[in-house]
Amino acid sequence: MRVQSLSLVAASAALIAPTTFPDAPHPLRADLPARLLADGRSQDVLGRANRSGIRIGPVPDRTAGPPVPPSRVGPDPGAAARPKGDGRGTPVRAADLLAEVRDCTPVSRGSYRKDSGAPADIPVCGKRDAVYWKADLDVDCDGVPGDRCNSRSDPHFSPATAFTRSDGSPLDAERLPYVVVPEPSDIWDHRADDVRGGSLAALVHGDRVRYAVVGDVGPRDLIGEASYAAAKALGVPADPHGGGAASDVTYIVFKGSEVEPIEDREAAEKEGERLVREFMAHD
């Protein structure tokens, strides 16, 4: 996870935006571990350097040949996560889902940066059933160490995640698609919109729609981050050091949703299909 000074911090500022988002906000939920909520500051969490401070976007692999069209690269590892559409066997197209979130009614009181030093021009938008934003994708490799995500591959690696699996252990960024929400602040408090650890998210990039859960918390003024597995499912470079996507990733998080247990990827995909269909039918 990228950080500025301390990661996994939870502030207690509440969201107040009745003029731009007519629905009353949901009550705040203490969805962060208790040790992270004491006095509005993180406890026993190591501060790490902010990788986004030096990040300049995806680093091209100069040893590789020209990109291969997705139709020629063999089986799609995220095919099972694709929405099944309207119940008649027609997949939901990314373009159709994006059309539902083309307009923005801000629920955040300000805007976020996609990287340290970048303009603060990314608001969190809202509809009745979801919040959403369009940003880049920085690769979060935190959690259970593995072959791809470890202290050797990622100089800012942390074995902890803000939210944990059902047995209390950290999430596995290599295997579980998850998204990162900013820590609560006076810009936006995700809890006020009934977003918590395990909330279901749809990610859209290019012509792909994939599903993830809310699994980690990042810096209070940055947005646009997801796990190694999420990046891989979207077909973008999953290297935690310089990978990801520089832009055009849409994050849609469904209010009041929850995948339980949080690590059940199959359940997330099934619930995601249902929520996307309902979202497109209602809005």
Side-chain angles (χ1 to χ4, degrees), residues 21 23 37 45 48 54 62 64 73 85 88 132 146 154 156 184 188 269 277:
F21 192 54
D23 293 343
L37 293 173
V45 178
R48 293 181 292 131
I54 58 173
R62 303 190 183 280
V73 298
R88 297 189 294 271
Y132 52 94
D154 181 0
H156 307 301
W188 180 56
E269 292 168 356
R277 290 195 296 268

mmCIF file of all heavy atoms in Angstrom, residues 21 23 37 45 48 54 62 64 73 85 88 132 146 154 156 184 188 269 277:
data_model
loop_
_atom_site.group_PDB
_atom_site.id
_atom_site.type_symbol
_atom_site.label_atom_id
_atom_site.label_comp_id
_atom_site.label_asym_id
_atom_site.label_seq_id
_atom_site.Cartn_x
_atom_site.Cartn_y
_atom_site.Cartn_z
ATOM 1 N N PHE A 21 -25.870 15.216 -2.216
ATOM 2 C CA PHE A 21 -26.249 13.815 -2.168
ATOM 3 C C PHE A 21 -27.470 13.711 -1.270
ATOM 4 O O PHE A 21 -27.367 13.712 -0.063
ATOM 5 C CB PHE A 21 -25.104 12.969 -1.629
ATOM 6 C CG PHE A 21 -25.315 11.496 -1.804
ATOM 7 C CD1 PHE A 21 -25.592 10.973 -3.057
ATOM 8 C CD2 PHE A 21 -25.242 10.638 -0.727
ATOM 9 C CE1 PHE A 21 -25.777 9.618 -3.221
ATOM 10 C CE2 PHE A 21 -25.426 9.284 -0.894
ATOM 11 C CZ PHE A 21 -25.697 8.766 -2.135
ATOM 12 N N ASP A 23 -29.724 11.533 -0.224
ATOM 13 C CA ASP A 23 -30.009 10.501 0.749
ATOM 14 C C ASP A 23 -29.251 10.763 2.037
ATOM 15 O O ASP A 23 -28.099 11.170 2.017
ATOM 16 C CB ASP A 23 -29.608 9.118 0.207
ATOM 17 C CG ASP A 23 -30.492 8.714 -0.966
ATOM 18 O OD1 ASP A 23 -31.559 9.328 -1.115
ATOM 19 O OD2 ASP A 23 -30.096 7.805 -1.718
ATOM 20 N N LEU A 37 -8.435 2.802 15.610
ATOM 21 C CA LEU A 37 -9.387 3.876 15.807
ATOM 22 C C LEU A 37 -9.110 4.705 17.051
ATOM 23 O O LEU A 37 -9.726 5.732 17.261
ATOM 24 C CB LEU A 37 -10.805 3.291 15.909
ATOM 25 C CG LEU A 37 -11.335 2.666 14.610
ATOM 26 C CD1 LEU A 37 -12.651 1.971 14.879
ATOM 27 C CD2 LEU A 37 -11.508 3.714 13.534
ATOM 28 N N VAL A 45 1.334 0.714 13.948
ATOM 29 C CA VAL A 45 1.447 0.526 12.503
ATOM 30 C C VAL A 45 2.696 1.241 12.031
ATOM 31 O O VAL A 45 2.855 2.429 12.248
ATOM 32 C CB VAL A 45 0.214 1.097 11.761
ATOM 33 C CG1 VAL A 45 0.386 0.925 10.269
ATOM 34 C CG2 VAL A 45 -1.049 0.386 12.237
ATOM 35 N N ARG A 48 5.651 3.931 6.441
ATOM 36 C CA ARG A 48 6.497 3.514 5.325
ATOM 37 C C ARG A 48 6.596 4.639 4.315
ATOM 38 O O ARG A 48 5.749 5.516 4.261
ATOM 39 C CB ARG A 48 5.920 2.259 4.657
ATOM 40 C CG ARG A 48 5.980 1.035 5.557
ATOM 41 C CD ARG A 48 5.432 -0.185 4.844
ATOM 42 N NE ARG A 48 4.005 -0.043 4.633
ATOM 43 C CZ ARG A 48 3.403 -0.259 3.469
ATOM 44 N NH1 ARG A 48 4.113 -0.570 2.410
ATOM 45 N NH2 ARG A 48 2.106 -0.131 3.351
ATOM 46 N N ILE A 54 7.285 8.881 -5.805
ATOM 47 C CA ILE A 54 8.255 8.789 -6.887
ATOM 48 C C ILE A 54 7.688 8.050 -8.090
ATOM 49 O O ILE A 54 8.353 7.889 -9.099
ATOM 50 C CB ILE A 54 9.539 8.068 -6.417
ATOM 51 C CG1 ILE A 54 9.193 6.667 -5.905
ATOM 52 C CG2 ILE A 54 10.231 8.867 -5.333
ATOM 53 C CD1 ILE A 54 10.401 5.824 -5.577
ATOM 54 N N ARG A 62 10.722 -3.219 -21.311
ATOM 55 C CA ARG A 62 11.437 -3.027 -22.576
ATOM 56 C C ARG A 62 11.989 -4.328 -23.133
ATOM 57 O O ARG A 62 12.505 -4.368 -24.243
ATOM 58 C CB ARG A 62 12.561 -2.007 -22.388
ATOM 59 C CG ARG A 62 12.049 -0.657 -21.871
ATOM 60 C CD ARG A 62 13.113 0.402 -21.910
ATOM 61 N NE ARG A 62 12.637 1.654 -21.351
ATOM 62 C CZ ARG A 62 11.876 2.523 -22.030
ATOM 63 N NH1 ARG A 62 11.532 2.266 -23.266
ATOM 64 N NH2 ARG A 62 11.468 3.640 -21.449
ATOM 65 N N ALA A 64 10.013 -6.946 -23.453
ATOM 66 C CA ALA A 64 8.875 -7.646 -24.031
ATOM 67 C C ALA A 64 8.586 -7.124 -25.425
ATOM 68 O O ALA A 64 8.957 -6.011 -25.792
ATOM 69 C CB ALA A 64 7.635 -7.469 -23.149
ATOM 70 N N VAL A 73 -4.324 -14.212 -26.105
ATOM 71 C CA VAL A 73 -3.439 -14.577 -25.002
ATOM 72 C C VAL A 73 -3.901 -15.820 -24.259
ATOM 73 O O VAL A 73 -3.366 -16.157 -23.233
ATOM 74 C CB VAL A 73 -3.327 -13.405 -23.991
ATOM 75 C CG1 VAL A 73 -2.721 -12.210 -24.658
ATOM 76 C CG2 VAL A 73 -4.689 -13.064 -23.390
ATOM 77 N N GLY A 85 -24.931 -10.146 -16.988
ATOM 78 C CA GLY A 85 -25.841 -9.272 -17.703
ATOM 79 C C GLY A 85 -27.253 -9.301 -17.181
ATOM 80 O O GLY A 85 -27.494 -9.323 -15.984
ATOM 81 N N ARG A 88 -30.440 -13.011 -19.270
ATOM 82 C CA ARG A 88 -30.730 -13.730 -20.506
ATOM 83 C C ARG A 88 -29.458 -14.229 -21.161
ATOM 84 O O ARG A 88 -29.457 -14.601 -22.324
ATOM 85 C CB ARG A 88 -31.503 -12.811 -21.468
ATOM 86 C CG ARG A 88 -32.854 -12.374 -20.936
ATOM 87 C CD ARG A 88 -33.659 -11.663 -22.017
ATOM 88 N NE ARG A 88 -33.022 -10.402 -22.391
ATOM 89 C CZ ARG A 88 -33.272 -9.245 -21.795
ATOM 90 N NH1 ARG A 88 -34.107 -9.192 -20.772
ATOM 91 N NH2 ARG A 88 -32.683 -8.135 -22.194
ATOM 92 N N TYR A 132 -18.569 5.901 -6.307
ATOM 93 C CA TYR A 132 -17.660 5.542 -7.393
ATOM 94 C C TYR A 132 -16.698 6.681 -7.681
ATOM 95 O O TYR A 132 -16.939 7.840 -7.347
ATOM 96 C CB TYR A 132 -18.435 5.165 -8.662
ATOM 97 C CG TYR A 132 -19.460 6.177 -9.112
ATOM 98 C CD1 TYR A 132 -19.152 7.156 -10.058
ATOM 99 C CD2 TYR A 132 -20.751 6.152 -8.598
ATOM 100 C CE1 TYR A 132 -20.093 8.076 -10.475
ATOM 101 C CE2 TYR A 132 -21.712 7.073 -9.010
ATOM 102 C CZ TYR A 132 -21.383 8.032 -9.946
ATOM 103 O OH TYR A 132 -22.326 8.949 -10.356
ATOM 104 N N GLY A 146 4.049 -13.831 -0.519
ATOM 105 C CA GLY A 146 3.975 -14.900 -1.504
ATOM 106 C C GLY A 146 5.098 -14.785 -2.504
ATOM 107 O O GLY A 146 6.067 -14.045 -2.304
ATOM 108 N N ASP A 154 8.696 -5.871 -3.412
ATOM 109 C CA ASP A 154 8.082 -4.588 -3.109
ATOM 110 C C ASP A 154 8.803 -3.971 -1.910
ATOM 111 O O ASP A 154 8.650 -4.440 -0.783
ATOM 112 C CB ASP A 154 6.602 -4.792 -2.784
ATOM 113 C CG ASP A 154 5.880 -3.488 -2.466
ATOM 114 O OD1 ASP A 154 6.519 -2.417 -2.499
ATOM 115 O OD2 ASP A 154 4.672 -3.546 -2.185
ATOM 116 N N HIS A 156 8.193 -1.506 -0.241
ATOM 117 C CA HIS A 156 7.277 -0.935 0.737
ATOM 118 C C HIS A 156 6.265 -1.976 1.224
ATOM 119 O O HIS A 156 5.217 -1.632 1.752
ATOM 120 C CB HIS A 156 6.549 0.266 0.139
ATOM 121 C CG HIS A 156 7.468 1.279 -0.451
ATOM 122 N ND1 HIS A 156 8.447 1.914 0.285
ATOM 123 C CD2 HIS A 156 7.586 1.750 -1.722
ATOM 124 C CE1 HIS A 156 9.113 2.743 -0.503
ATOM 125 N NE2 HIS A 156 8.618 2.656 -1.713
ATOM 126 N N PRO A 184 -10.516 7.545 6.580
ATOM 127 C CA PRO A 184 -11.525 8.573 6.847
ATOM 128 C C PRO A 184 -10.883 9.919 7.150
ATOM 129 O O PRO A 184 -9.898 10.015 7.880
ATOM 130 C CB PRO A 184 -12.270 8.023 8.064
ATOM 131 C CG PRO A 184 -12.083 6.546 7.974
ATOM 132 C CD PRO A 184 -10.700 6.362 7.428
ATOM 133 N N TRP A 188 -13.600 12.699 2.921
ATOM 134 C CA TRP A 188 -14.644 11.673 2.791
ATOM 135 C C TRP A 188 -14.402 10.592 3.822
ATOM 136 O O TRP A 188 -13.259 10.203 4.078
ATOM 137 C CB TRP A 188 -14.639 11.071 1.386
ATOM 138 C CG TRP A 188 -15.667 9.997 1.149
ATOM 139 C CD1 TRP A 188 -17.016 10.103 1.321
ATOM 140 C CD2 TRP A 188 -15.422 8.653 0.683
ATOM 141 N NE1 TRP A 188 -17.628 8.920 0.999
ATOM 142 C CE2 TRP A 188 -16.679 8.016 0.599
ATOM 143 C CE3 TRP A 188 -14.277 7.959 0.332
ATOM 144 C CZ2 TRP A 188 -16.817 6.695 0.175
ATOM 145 C CZ3 TRP A 188 -14.392 6.639 -0.093
ATOM 146 C CH2 TRP A 188 -15.648 6.020 -0.175
ATOM 147 N N GLU A 269 -17.777 -12.785 -6.707
ATOM 148 C CA GLU A 269 -18.135 -12.753 -8.113
ATOM 149 C C GLU A 269 -19.639 -12.935 -8.307
ATOM 150 O O GLU A 269 -20.266 -12.227 -9.101
ATOM 151 C CB GLU A 269 -17.350 -13.828 -8.854
ATOM 152 C CG GLU A 269 -15.857 -13.540 -8.910
ATOM 153 C CD GLU A 269 -15.026 -14.725 -9.377
ATOM 154 O OE1 GLU A 269 -15.613 -15.807 -9.596
ATOM 155 O OE2 GLU A 269 -13.807 -14.573 -9.512
ATOM 156 N N ARG A 277 -26.321 -5.940 -11.954
ATOM 157 C CA ARG A 277 -27.590 -5.965 -12.654
ATOM 158 C C ARG A 277 -28.623 -5.072 -11.979
ATOM 159 O O ARG A 277 -29.341 -4.323 -12.629
ATOM 160 C CB ARG A 277 -28.101 -7.416 -12.750
ATOM 161 C CG ARG A 277 -27.291 -8.294 -13.693
ATOM 162 C CD ARG A 277 -28.035 -9.578 -14.030
ATOM 163 N NE ARG A 277 -28.247 -10.427 -12.857
ATOM 164 C CZ ARG A 277 -27.412 -11.394 -12.484
ATOM 165 N NH1 ARG A 277 -26.311 -11.601 -13.178
ATOM 166 N NH2 ARG A 277 -27.697 -12.127 -11.425
#
